[in-house]
Amino acid sequence: MTLVEKRTNQSNKIQTNLPDWSALIPVLPGDGPRSRELYAALRRLIETGALAAGAKLPTTRDLARRFGLSRSAAVACFEMLISEGFAVAKVGAGTFVAPDVPHLPTTLVKARPPEIDVAASLPCGLGVAVSDPRTLNLFRILLSRHLARPGPEHFRYGDPRGGLPLRTAIATYLRTARGVRCDAGQIVLTSGTQQGLDLLARAALRPGDAVWLENPCYPMAHAVLAGSGAGIVAVPVDEEGLDPEIGERLCPKARAAYVTPSHQYPLGVTMTMRRRLALLDWARRNDAWIIEDDYDSEFRYAGPPLTSLQGMDGANRVAYLGTFSKVLFPGLRIGYVVVPEPLLDAVMAVRARSDRYPSTLAEGALTDLLNEGHFAAHLRRVRRRVQAARDVLVSGLEAHCGDALDVTVPEQGLHLMAMLRGGGPDTAIVEAAKAAGVGARALSAMFIDGAPKHGLVLGFSGFSDEELRAATVRLGGVLQQHPLPSSS
């Protein structure tokens, strides 16, 4: 056999050992750069192991011919694979799949899209803010004012705490309206209460640290704290709020306590002064932190908002969480944390290595809204509207659901509690209510431990009177179809 015949024979063996490229890459999409499409297809074959480490790739001329590409497109594809470490070129030998390329499973699990809370958009759902046309128009004008002459803060990385003008305006508002003792240096802007709680948990807690949590509780707070590795200690809530005496019996050396003292979620009770003082005393004696979530504090219908727990703290142990999501609109994505001085450096370290610093786009407009008195006027308007919506919902529940529900009329907040007479199950009723177009929540699902109570958590903010009245009619029909056990 001549040398030419040997080379031809070896070449034929190599070609017959190559995969069927037309089968592996049957079609290249017609849109976009052809070299990038081929690169993506080859990379997928390498990552899934369809092309093993060390396997020889076809020549650029062969690929160009098979897929109707220009030679330059095939060359550009190989250059991308080589530059990113998926392939290696050997002079005189060709291009090969690189060794030690991490493999993905051949059947990838499709990314699950985030679940949308359908119940929240239904009448009586929770977390819906009041749409106030006057405020929205004013906010548009203020936002346009700042975008017309954008400041340098939009074009460089800023303070991890957020812009000083907005933090100063928030500190002034909190001192006046909520009795919070703070300055702008203690305030950290966030995307909402949830991010603020996450920052505090990561800064103040280590895996295994015990945390007192209200029982029943705000489910997302439970999720954040449990996700941080904290040991959850369920402390009962009664008509006076969380009970520190029971907390001390269960776990006296807990590292932190999460509370909603002004308007407990979901029961709606307010923590009494006796309990507040006891909680502060426990935190001082045990060098523990209190995380105060001032849930719906702006919406109080009988007198001015209550003084915050943080404002009573003389030992620098209370972190205060607030947000503009409910009072303006959740899409704004601006909340804040008032961080105790001893915890500030740790919180800033977590913030700096996570999302660096908050968005500056709406800061100027919100600052003006606060400083020029527009925010206070907005609160007065929406407070009256929400109180009227509460009364409409209560009236409808009494008329159409009175035989099955005991309704508590709240003096604060954006939701009410309706306990099921004779017990549950509330989860079955909630599912039937959702099917009927009513966004109720089950109270029993919010208990961490012990025997849960059964009731419906119903929101009244952000819905028209007609929507709320119709919802109570539909809910009454659901309750008639799901008779409850007798309380006797």
Side-chain angles (χ1 to χ4, degrees), residues 126 214-219 237 260 263-269 295 410 415-419 441-447 456-458:
L126 305 178
E214 297 169 325
N215 190 31
C217 73
Y218 178 48
V237 173
T260 51
H263 182 241
Q264 200 274 337
Y265 184 92
L267 297 180
V269 300
Y295 187 80
H415 74 272
L416 58 78
M417 278 302 313
M419 303 304 296
R441 297 286 183 89
L443 174 62
S444 65
M446 302 177 192
F447 278 80
L456 305 181
V457 185
L458 302 167

PDB file of all heavy atoms in Angstrom, residues 126 214-219 237 260 263-269 295 410 415-419 441-447 456-458:
ATOM      1  N   LEU A 126     -54.822  39.937  49.147  1.00  0.00           N
ATOM      2  CA  LEU A 126     -53.927  40.737  49.988  1.00  0.00           C
ATOM      3  C   LEU A 126     -52.807  41.338  49.145  1.00  0.00           C
ATOM      4  O   LEU A 126     -52.470  40.845  48.074  1.00  0.00           O
ATOM      5  CB  LEU A 126     -53.330  39.871  51.092  1.00  0.00           C
ATOM      6  CG  LEU A 126     -54.335  39.126  51.977  1.00  0.00           C
ATOM      7  CD1 LEU A 126     -53.606  38.271  53.001  1.00  0.00           C
ATOM      8  CD2 LEU A 126     -55.263  40.096  52.677  1.00  0.00           C
ATOM      9  N   GLU A 214     -43.610  34.955  65.674  1.00  0.00           N
ATOM     10  CA  GLU A 214     -45.020  34.966  66.050  1.00  0.00           C
ATOM     11  C   GLU A 214     -45.734  33.744  65.485  1.00  0.00           C
ATOM     12  O   GLU A 214     -45.460  33.309  64.371  1.00  0.00           O
ATOM     13  CB  GLU A 214     -45.688  36.236  65.513  1.00  0.00           C
ATOM     14  CG  GLU A 214     -45.120  37.525  66.082  1.00  0.00           C
ATOM     15  CD  GLU A 214     -45.629  38.744  65.339  1.00  0.00           C
ATOM     16  OE1 GLU A 214     -45.829  38.647  64.105  1.00  0.00           O
ATOM     17  OE2 GLU A 214     -45.829  39.795  65.976  1.00  0.00           O
ATOM     18  N   ASN A 215     -46.667  33.220  66.246  1.00  0.00           N
ATOM     19  CA  ASN A 215     -47.456  32.075  65.819  1.00  0.00           C
ATOM     20  C   ASN A 215     -48.941  32.375  66.048  1.00  0.00           C
ATOM     21  O   ASN A 215     -49.370  32.449  67.200  1.00  0.00           O
ATOM     22  CB  ASN A 215     -47.058  30.821  66.602  1.00  0.00           C
ATOM     23  CG  ASN A 215     -47.663  29.557  66.030  1.00  0.00           C
ATOM     24  OD1 ASN A 215     -47.887  29.453  64.838  1.00  0.00           O
ATOM     25  ND2 ASN A 215     -47.951  28.591  66.890  1.00  0.00           N
ATOM     26  N   PRO A 216     -49.720  32.611  64.962  1.00  0.00           N
ATOM     27  CA  PRO A 216     -49.402  32.512  63.539  1.00  0.00           C
ATOM     28  C   PRO A 216     -48.530  33.674  63.076  1.00  0.00           C
ATOM     29  O   PRO A 216     -48.359  34.662  63.785  1.00  0.00           O
ATOM     30  CB  PRO A 216     -50.782  32.559  62.880  1.00  0.00           C
ATOM     31  CG  PRO A 216     -51.596  33.405  63.806  1.00  0.00           C
ATOM     32  CD  PRO A 216     -51.133  33.032  65.177  1.00  0.00           C
ATOM     33  N   CYS A 217     -47.997  33.548  61.852  1.00  0.00           N
ATOM     34  CA  CYS A 217     -47.016  34.525  61.408  1.00  0.00           C
ATOM     35  C   CYS A 217     -47.178  34.845  59.932  1.00  0.00           C
ATOM     36  O   CYS A 217     -47.920  34.178  59.208  1.00  0.00           O
ATOM     37  CB  CYS A 217     -45.606  34.000  61.648  1.00  0.00           C
ATOM     38  SG  CYS A 217     -45.151  32.692  60.487  1.00  0.00           S
ATOM     39  N   TYR A 218     -46.435  35.866  59.512  1.00  0.00           N
ATOM     40  CA  TYR A 218     -46.331  36.230  58.111  1.00  0.00           C
ATOM     41  C   TYR A 218     -45.505  35.153  57.412  1.00  0.00           C
ATOM     42  O   TYR A 218     -44.335  34.951  57.728  1.00  0.00           O
ATOM     43  CB  TYR A 218     -45.657  37.590  58.000  1.00  0.00           C
ATOM     44  CG  TYR A 218     -45.431  38.086  56.595  1.00  0.00           C
ATOM     45  CD1 TYR A 218     -46.441  38.049  55.645  1.00  0.00           C
ATOM     46  CD2 TYR A 218     -44.203  38.621  56.232  1.00  0.00           C
ATOM     47  CE1 TYR A 218     -46.228  38.514  54.360  1.00  0.00           C
ATOM     48  CE2 TYR A 218     -43.986  39.099  54.948  1.00  0.00           C
ATOM     49  CZ  TYR A 218     -44.995  39.050  54.017  1.00  0.00           C
ATOM     50  OH  TYR A 218     -44.781  39.506  52.749  1.00  0.00           O
ATOM     51  N   PRO A 219     -46.096  34.417  56.444  1.00  0.00           N
ATOM     52  CA  PRO A 219     -45.400  33.261  55.872  1.00  0.00           C
ATOM     53  C   PRO A 219     -44.057  33.588  55.228  1.00  0.00           C
ATOM     54  O   PRO A 219     -43.106  32.810  55.316  1.00  0.00           O
ATOM     55  CB  PRO A 219     -46.395  32.733  54.832  1.00  0.00           C
ATOM     56  CG  PRO A 219     -47.733  33.191  55.305  1.00  0.00           C
ATOM     57  CD  PRO A 219     -47.487  34.516  55.931  1.00  0.00           C
ATOM     58  N   VAL A 237     -49.333  34.080  69.842  1.00  0.00           N
ATOM     59  CA  VAL A 237     -49.883  35.432  69.824  1.00  0.00           C
ATOM     60  C   VAL A 237     -51.308  35.367  70.343  1.00  0.00           C
ATOM     61  O   VAL A 237     -52.101  34.525  69.898  1.00  0.00           O
ATOM     62  CB  VAL A 237     -49.870  36.012  68.394  1.00  0.00           C
ATOM     63  CG1 VAL A 237     -50.601  37.352  68.347  1.00  0.00           C
ATOM     64  CG2 VAL A 237     -48.439  36.169  67.891  1.00  0.00           C
ATOM     65  N   THR A 260     -44.517  41.889  64.630  1.00  0.00           N
ATOM     66  CA  THR A 260     -45.288  42.939  63.958  1.00  0.00           C
ATOM     67  C   THR A 260     -46.167  43.584  65.027  1.00  0.00           C
ATOM     68  O   THR A 260     -47.367  43.337  65.084  1.00  0.00           O
ATOM     69  CB  THR A 260     -46.146  42.348  62.817  1.00  0.00           C
ATOM     70  OG1 THR A 260     -46.909  41.237  63.327  1.00  0.00           O
ATOM     71  CG2 THR A 260     -45.278  41.849  61.680  1.00  0.00           C
ATOM     72  N   HIS A 263     -49.464  46.076  64.225  1.00  0.00           N
ATOM     73  CA  HIS A 263     -50.626  45.430  63.596  1.00  0.00           C
ATOM     74  C   HIS A 263     -50.198  44.030  63.209  1.00  0.00           C
ATOM     75  O   HIS A 263     -49.684  43.809  62.118  1.00  0.00           O
ATOM     76  CB  HIS A 263     -51.069  46.243  62.384  1.00  0.00           C
ATOM     77  CG  HIS A 263     -52.274  45.692  61.700  1.00  0.00           C
ATOM     78  ND1 HIS A 263     -52.276  45.266  60.387  1.00  0.00           N
ATOM     79  CD2 HIS A 263     -53.531  45.479  62.155  1.00  0.00           C
ATOM     80  CE1 HIS A 263     -53.470  44.827  60.066  1.00  0.00           C
ATOM     81  NE2 HIS A 263     -54.255  44.944  61.116  1.00  0.00           N
ATOM     82  N   GLN A 264     -50.405  43.086  64.122  1.00  0.00           N
ATOM     83  CA  GLN A 264     -49.877  41.744  63.919  1.00  0.00           C
ATOM     84  C   GLN A 264     -50.492  41.094  62.687  1.00  0.00           C
ATOM     85  O   GLN A 264     -51.696  41.162  62.459  1.00  0.00           O
ATOM     86  CB  GLN A 264     -50.162  40.877  65.158  1.00  0.00           C
ATOM     87  CG  GLN A 264     -49.283  39.646  65.285  1.00  0.00           C
ATOM     88  CD  GLN A 264     -49.821  38.437  64.523  1.00  0.00           C
ATOM     89  OE1 GLN A 264     -51.008  38.335  64.249  1.00  0.00           O
ATOM     90  NE2 GLN A 264     -48.932  37.504  64.195  1.00  0.00           N
ATOM     91  N   TYR A 265     -49.606  40.478  61.898  1.00  0.00           N
ATOM     92  CA  TYR A 265     -50.095  39.736  60.736  1.00  0.00           C
ATOM     93  C   TYR A 265     -50.058  38.252  61.069  1.00  0.00           C
ATOM     94  O   TYR A 265     -49.022  37.734  61.464  1.00  0.00           O
ATOM     95  CB  TYR A 265     -49.213  39.994  59.507  1.00  0.00           C
ATOM     96  CG  TYR A 265     -49.759  39.324  58.267  1.00  0.00           C
ATOM     97  CD1 TYR A 265     -50.609  40.006  57.411  1.00  0.00           C
ATOM     98  CD2 TYR A 265     -49.465  38.000  57.978  1.00  0.00           C
ATOM     99  CE1 TYR A 265     -51.141  39.380  56.294  1.00  0.00           C
ATOM    100  CE2 TYR A 265     -49.990  37.364  56.864  1.00  0.00           C
ATOM    101  CZ  TYR A 265     -50.824  38.067  56.036  1.00  0.00           C
ATOM    102  OH  TYR A 265     -51.368  37.436  54.937  1.00  0.00           O
ATOM    103  N   PRO A 266     -51.194  37.544  60.958  1.00  0.00           N
ATOM    104  CA  PRO A 266     -52.458  37.945  60.322  1.00  0.00           C
ATOM    105  C   PRO A 266     -53.574  38.379  61.276  1.00  0.00           C
ATOM    106  O   PRO A 266     -54.610  38.845  60.816  1.00  0.00           O
ATOM    107  CB  PRO A 266     -52.867  36.661  59.622  1.00  0.00           C
ATOM    108  CG  PRO A 266     -52.392  35.579  60.551  1.00  0.00           C
ATOM    109  CD  PRO A 266     -51.112  36.075  61.135  1.00  0.00           C
ATOM    110  N   LEU A 267     -53.394  38.207  62.585  1.00  0.00           N
ATOM    111  CA  LEU A 267     -54.528  38.378  63.505  1.00  0.00           C
ATOM    112  C   LEU A 267     -54.960  39.828  63.655  1.00  0.00           C
ATOM    113  O   LEU A 267     -56.105  40.093  64.030  1.00  0.00           O
ATOM    114  CB  LEU A 267     -54.182  37.787  64.877  1.00  0.00           C
ATOM    115  CG  LEU A 267     -53.919  36.279  64.897  1.00  0.00           C
ATOM    116  CD1 LEU A 267     -53.588  35.817  66.318  1.00  0.00           C
ATOM    117  CD2 LEU A 267     -55.114  35.510  64.350  1.00  0.00           C
ATOM    118  N   GLY A 268     -54.061  40.782  63.383  1.00  0.00           N
ATOM    119  CA  GLY A 268     -54.435  42.183  63.440  1.00  0.00           C
ATOM    120  C   GLY A 268     -54.392  42.804  64.811  1.00  0.00           C
ATOM    121  O   GLY A 268     -54.786  43.972  64.966  1.00  0.00           O
ATOM    122  N   VAL A 269     -53.927  42.091  65.844  1.00  0.00           N
ATOM    123  CA  VAL A 269     -53.894  42.636  67.199  1.00  0.00           C
ATOM    124  C   VAL A 269     -52.700  43.573  67.355  1.00  0.00           C
ATOM    125  O   VAL A 269     -51.730  43.514  66.588  1.00  0.00           O
ATOM    126  CB  VAL A 269     -53.831  41.516  68.254  1.00  0.00           C
ATOM    127  CG1 VAL A 269     -55.044  40.618  68.151  1.00  0.00           C
ATOM    128  CG2 VAL A 269     -52.547  40.704  68.110  1.00  0.00           C
ATOM    129  N   TYR A 295     -45.860  46.616  60.052  1.00  0.00           N
ATOM    130  CA  TYR A 295     -46.791  46.189  59.010  1.00  0.00           C
ATOM    131  C   TYR A 295     -48.048  47.053  58.985  1.00  0.00           C
ATOM    132  O   TYR A 295     -48.780  47.135  59.979  1.00  0.00           O
ATOM    133  CB  TYR A 295     -47.155  44.718  59.248  1.00  0.00           C
ATOM    134  CG  TYR A 295     -47.981  44.094  58.168  1.00  0.00           C
ATOM    135  CD1 TYR A 295     -47.392  43.654  56.991  1.00  0.00           C
ATOM    136  CD2 TYR A 295     -49.357  43.960  58.307  1.00  0.00           C
ATOM    137  CE1 TYR A 295     -48.143  43.079  55.981  1.00  0.00           C
ATOM    138  CE2 TYR A 295     -50.115  43.390  57.307  1.00  0.00           C
ATOM    139  CZ  TYR A 295     -49.501  42.957  56.144  1.00  0.00           C
ATOM    140  OH  TYR A 295     -50.257  42.403  55.152  1.00  0.00           O
ATOM    141  N   PRO A 410     -61.247  45.671  61.954  1.00  0.00           N
ATOM    142  CA  PRO A 410     -59.940  46.174  62.373  1.00  0.00           C
ATOM    143  C   PRO A 410     -59.915  47.695  62.458  1.00  0.00           C
ATOM    144  O   PRO A 410     -60.564  48.393  61.675  1.00  0.00           O
ATOM    145  CB  PRO A 410     -59.006  45.680  61.270  1.00  0.00           C
ATOM    146  CG  PRO A 410     -59.874  45.641  60.050  1.00  0.00           C
ATOM    147  CD  PRO A 410     -61.244  45.252  60.538  1.00  0.00           C
ATOM    148  N   HIS A 415     -56.414  44.455  55.965  1.00  0.00           N
ATOM    149  CA  HIS A 415     -57.126  43.180  55.903  1.00  0.00           C
ATOM    150  C   HIS A 415     -57.899  42.972  57.201  1.00  0.00           C
ATOM    151  O   HIS A 415     -57.674  43.670  58.194  1.00  0.00           O
ATOM    152  CB  HIS A 415     -56.146  42.021  55.679  1.00  0.00           C
ATOM    153  CG  HIS A 415     -55.331  41.667  56.892  1.00  0.00           C
ATOM    154  ND1 HIS A 415     -54.140  42.272  57.194  1.00  0.00           N
ATOM    155  CD2 HIS A 415     -55.563  40.777  57.891  1.00  0.00           C
ATOM    156  CE1 HIS A 415     -53.649  41.769  58.319  1.00  0.00           C
ATOM    157  NE2 HIS A 415     -54.503  40.858  58.758  1.00  0.00           N
ATOM    158  N   LEU A 416     -58.816  42.022  57.190  1.00  0.00           N
ATOM    159  CA  LEU A 416     -59.554  41.684  58.404  1.00  0.00           C
ATOM    160  C   LEU A 416     -59.572  40.170  58.583  1.00  0.00           C
ATOM    161  O   LEU A 416     -59.308  39.405  57.659  1.00  0.00           O
ATOM    162  CB  LEU A 416     -60.981  42.249  58.366  1.00  0.00           C
ATOM    163  CG  LEU A 416     -61.926  41.845  57.223  1.00  0.00           C
ATOM    164  CD1 LEU A 416     -62.521  40.458  57.417  1.00  0.00           C
ATOM    165  CD2 LEU A 416     -63.052  42.870  57.099  1.00  0.00           C
ATOM    166  N   MET A 417     -59.882  39.763  59.812  1.00  0.00           N
ATOM    167  CA  MET A 417     -59.996  38.352  60.155  1.00  0.00           C
ATOM    168  C   MET A 417     -61.465  37.979  60.268  1.00  0.00           C
ATOM    169  O   MET A 417     -62.250  38.688  60.875  1.00  0.00           O
ATOM    170  CB  MET A 417     -59.320  38.070  61.498  1.00  0.00           C
ATOM    171  CG  MET A 417     -57.816  37.884  61.428  1.00  0.00           C
ATOM    172  SD  MET A 417     -57.330  36.543  60.342  1.00  0.00           S
ATOM    173  CE  MET A 417     -58.451  35.259  60.867  1.00  0.00           C
ATOM    174  N   ALA A 418     -61.810  36.858  59.656  1.00  0.00           N
ATOM    175  CA  ALA A 418     -63.165  36.306  59.782  1.00  0.00           C
ATOM    176  C   ALA A 418     -63.021  34.861  60.223  1.00  0.00           C
ATOM    177  O   ALA A 418     -62.628  33.999  59.437  1.00  0.00           O
ATOM    178  CB  ALA A 418     -63.911  36.407  58.449  1.00  0.00           C
ATOM    179  N   MET A 419     -63.298  34.607  61.504  1.00  0.00           N
ATOM    180  CA  MET A 419     -63.147  33.255  62.046  1.00  0.00           C
ATOM    181  C   MET A 419     -64.342  32.391  61.644  1.00  0.00           C
ATOM    182  O   MET A 419     -65.477  32.856  61.586  1.00  0.00           O
ATOM    183  CB  MET A 419     -63.032  33.311  63.567  1.00  0.00           C
ATOM    184  CG  MET A 419     -61.890  34.189  64.081  1.00  0.00           C
ATOM    185  SD  MET A 419     -60.262  33.725  63.445  1.00  0.00           S
ATOM    186  CE  MET A 419     -60.090  32.090  64.156  1.00  0.00           C
ATOM    187  N   ARG A 441     -57.476  34.060  52.129  1.00  0.00           N
ATOM    188  CA  ARG A 441     -56.341  33.251  52.581  1.00  0.00           C
ATOM    189  C   ARG A 441     -56.764  32.444  53.808  1.00  0.00           C
ATOM    190  O   ARG A 441     -57.599  32.886  54.612  1.00  0.00           O
ATOM    191  CB  ARG A 441     -55.158  34.141  52.962  1.00  0.00           C
ATOM    192  CG  ARG A 441     -54.592  34.956  51.814  1.00  0.00           C
ATOM    193  CD  ARG A 441     -53.787  34.110  50.854  1.00  0.00           C
ATOM    194  NE  ARG A 441     -53.186  34.920  49.804  1.00  0.00           N
ATOM    195  CZ  ARG A 441     -51.995  35.492  49.879  1.00  0.00           C
ATOM    196  NH1 ARG A 441     -51.269  35.356  50.969  1.00  0.00           N
ATOM    197  NH2 ARG A 441     -51.532  36.209  48.885  1.00  0.00           N
ATOM    198  N   ALA A 442     -56.143  31.283  53.975  1.00  0.00           N
ATOM    199  CA  ALA A 442     -56.471  30.411  55.102  1.00  0.00           C
ATOM    200  C   ALA A 442     -55.613  30.761  56.307  1.00  0.00           C
ATOM    201  O   ALA A 442     -54.379  30.757  56.219  1.00  0.00           O
ATOM    202  CB  ALA A 442     -56.273  28.947  54.710  1.00  0.00           C
ATOM    203  N   LEU A 443     -56.253  31.038  57.423  1.00  0.00           N
ATOM    204  CA  LEU A 443     -55.512  31.345  58.652  1.00  0.00           C
ATOM    205  C   LEU A 443     -54.699  30.145  59.114  1.00  0.00           C
ATOM    206  O   LEU A 443     -53.553  30.296  59.561  1.00  0.00           O
ATOM    207  CB  LEU A 443     -56.489  31.777  59.742  1.00  0.00           C
ATOM    208  CG  LEU A 443     -55.893  31.987  61.137  1.00  0.00           C
ATOM    209  CD1 LEU A 443     -54.845  33.093  61.127  1.00  0.00           C
ATOM    210  CD2 LEU A 443     -56.996  32.278  62.162  1.00  0.00           C
ATOM    211  N   SER A 444     -55.229  28.952  59.011  1.00  0.00           N
ATOM    212  CA  SER A 444     -54.545  27.778  59.545  1.00  0.00           C
ATOM    213  C   SER A 444     -53.183  27.569  58.900  1.00  0.00           C
ATOM    214  O   SER A 444     -52.254  27.053  59.533  1.00  0.00           O
ATOM    215  CB  SER A 444     -55.410  26.530  59.344  1.00  0.00           C
ATOM    216  OG  SER A 444     -55.567  26.240  57.964  1.00  0.00           O
ATOM    217  N   ALA A 445     -53.034  27.977  57.627  1.00  0.00           N
ATOM    218  CA  ALA A 445     -51.766  27.787  56.925  1.00  0.00           C
ATOM    219  C   ALA A 445     -50.668  28.682  57.467  1.00  0.00           C
ATOM    220  O   ALA A 445     -49.492  28.479  57.143  1.00  0.00           O
ATOM    221  CB  ALA A 445     -51.965  28.052  55.437  1.00  0.00           C
ATOM    222  N   MET A 446     -51.007  29.660  58.301  1.00  0.00           N
ATOM    223  CA  MET A 446     -50.024  30.602  58.821  1.00  0.00           C
ATOM    224  C   MET A 446     -49.523  30.222  60.207  1.00  0.00           C
ATOM    225  O   MET A 446     -48.705  30.939  60.791  1.00  0.00           O
ATOM    226  CB  MET A 446     -50.612  32.014  58.826  1.00  0.00           C
ATOM    227  CG  MET A 446     -51.051  32.457  57.440  1.00  0.00           C
ATOM    228  SD  MET A 446     -51.818  34.079  57.407  1.00  0.00           S
ATOM    229  CE  MET A 446     -52.500  34.086  55.733  1.00  0.00           C
ATOM    230  N   PHE A 447     -50.002  29.113  60.732  1.00  0.00           N
ATOM    231  CA  PHE A 447     -49.515  28.629  62.029  1.00  0.00           C
ATOM    232  C   PHE A 447     -48.265  27.783  61.811  1.00  0.00           C
ATOM    233  O   PHE A 447     -48.192  26.980  60.887  1.00  0.00           O
ATOM    234  CB  PHE A 447     -50.589  27.814  62.734  1.00  0.00           C
ATOM    235  CG  PHE A 447     -51.609  28.647  63.463  1.00  0.00           C
ATOM    236  CD1 PHE A 447     -52.653  29.237  62.777  1.00  0.00           C
ATOM    237  CD2 PHE A 447     -51.503  28.857  64.832  1.00  0.00           C
ATOM    238  CE1 PHE A 447     -53.588  30.016  63.438  1.00  0.00           C
ATOM    239  CE2 PHE A 447     -52.430  29.629  65.506  1.00  0.00           C
ATOM    240  CZ  PHE A 447     -53.473  30.212  64.809  1.00  0.00           C
ATOM    241  N   LEU A 456     -60.631  33.016  57.774  1.00  0.00           N
ATOM    242  CA  LEU A 456     -60.319  33.595  56.476  1.00  0.00           C
ATOM    243  C   LEU A 456     -59.673  34.958  56.677  1.00  0.00           C
ATOM    244  O   LEU A 456     -60.165  35.781  57.459  1.00  0.00           O
ATOM    245  CB  LEU A 456     -61.585  33.743  55.636  1.00  0.00           C
ATOM    246  CG  LEU A 456     -62.424  32.479  55.435  1.00  0.00           C
ATOM    247  CD1 LEU A 456     -63.639  32.796  54.567  1.00  0.00           C
ATOM    248  CD2 LEU A 456     -61.598  31.356  54.819  1.00  0.00           C
ATOM    249  N   VAL A 457     -58.577  35.180  55.984  1.00  0.00           N
ATOM    250  CA  VAL A 457     -57.908  36.480  55.972  1.00  0.00           C
ATOM    251  C   VAL A 457     -58.324  37.165  54.680  1.00  0.00           C
ATOM    252  O   VAL A 457     -58.049  36.674  53.587  1.00  0.00           O
ATOM    253  CB  VAL A 457     -56.378  36.327  56.043  1.00  0.00           C
ATOM    254  CG1 VAL A 457     -55.713  37.698  56.165  1.00  0.00           C
ATOM    255  CG2 VAL A 457     -55.977  35.437  57.211  1.00  0.00           C
ATOM    256  N   LEU A 458     -59.005  38.308  54.805  1.00  0.00           N
ATOM    257  CA  LEU A 458     -59.619  38.977  53.656  1.00  0.00           C
ATOM    258  C   LEU A 458     -59.099  40.407  53.545  1.00  0.00           C
ATOM    259  O   LEU A 458     -59.142  41.171  54.512  1.00  0.00           O
ATOM    260  CB  LEU A 458     -61.143  38.996  53.809  1.00  0.00           C
ATOM    261  CG  LEU A 458     -61.827  37.628  53.948  1.00  0.00           C
ATOM    262  CD1 LEU A 458     -63.266  37.798  54.413  1.00  0.00           C
ATOM    263  CD2 LEU A 458     -61.785  36.882  52.622  1.00  0.00           C
TER     264      LEU A 458
END
